[in-house]
Amino acid sequence: MCVNSCLGFTGPFTKLEVCPYCGEKRYEDVDVNDSSRRNRKDGKPRKQFCTIPIGPQLQALWRSPRGAQSMSYRRKCTERVLRELQENEGVKVSPYEDFFDGSEYIEKVIRGDVGENDIFLVL
Ligand SMILES: [Zn+2]
């Protein structure tokens, strides 16, 4: 990635050796006397960024009993909100605390668009 975090040298930027935004070099300067690193492509990146795909991270939340218990938080909150709506003729009387309390979310639950074990990722 750019040393100033402007972009990752991936996709259309894969072949660039200079950041198109800030002009910083992608690689550390190559020692021309080091025969193993004469090729620019073998140069050491000045900055790297590692990613872990979100799917395995979410799956890992279910690995332990404690994690699985934590993953039931949304379901429990949803049940609480639905119960409250049922007891108050569809009117929410308690304060809004989280997105579970929002009408957009609750309407999706009522329509059946949200399953009991679905995971919501809020960005
Ligand atoms: Zn840059």
Side-chain angles (χ1 to χ4, degrees):
M1 68 184 296
C2 170
V3 72
N4 291 324
S5 303
C6 300
L7 57 79
F9 290 103
T10 61
F13 308 112
T14 301
K15 294 182 179 178
L16 298 180
E17 294 194 10
V18 174
C19 174
Y21 298 107
C22 71
E24 287 289 333
K25 293 179 296 183
R26 178 177 178 175
Y27 298 106
E28 290 182 2
D29 287 329
V30 177
D31 181 357
V32 291
N33 295 322
D34 183 350
S35 61
S36 69
R37 300 182 99 188
R38 280 205 184 119
N39 187 334
R40 201 38 130 171
K41 290 180 181 175
D42 293 336
K44 183 178 177 196
R46 295 177 69 199
K47 190 172 186 179
Q48 291 183 297
F49 184 82
C50 296
T51 60
I52 302 173
I54 192 69
Q57 289 184 61
L58 294 174
Q59 286 177 316
L61 296 173
W62 294 96
R63 282 187 65 199
S64 69
R66 184 171 170 219
Q69 183 68 26
S70 294
M71 293 300 285
S72 68
Y73 175 72
R74 183 193 60 80
R75 181 180 49 77
K76 290 176 182 171
C77 290
T78 301
E79 289 170 357
R80 176 184 47 78
V81 172
L82 291 173
R83 192 171 41 253
E84 179 183 342
L85 290 171
Q86 199 170 31
E87 292 169 358
N88 297 292
E89 300 175 3
V91 177
K92 176 117 178 65
V93 292
S94 66
Y96 282 58
E97 295 176 356
D98 208 326
F99 76 91
F100 314 117
D101 298 306
S103 61
E104 189 173 343
Y105 168 74
I106 286 299
E107 287 168 7
K108 287 184 185 308
V109 171
I110 292 170
R111 277 198 314 262
D113 295 343
V114 179
E116 189 173 302
N117 292 316
D118 286 351
I119 298 172
F120 272 70
L121 184 61
V122 180
L123 303 174

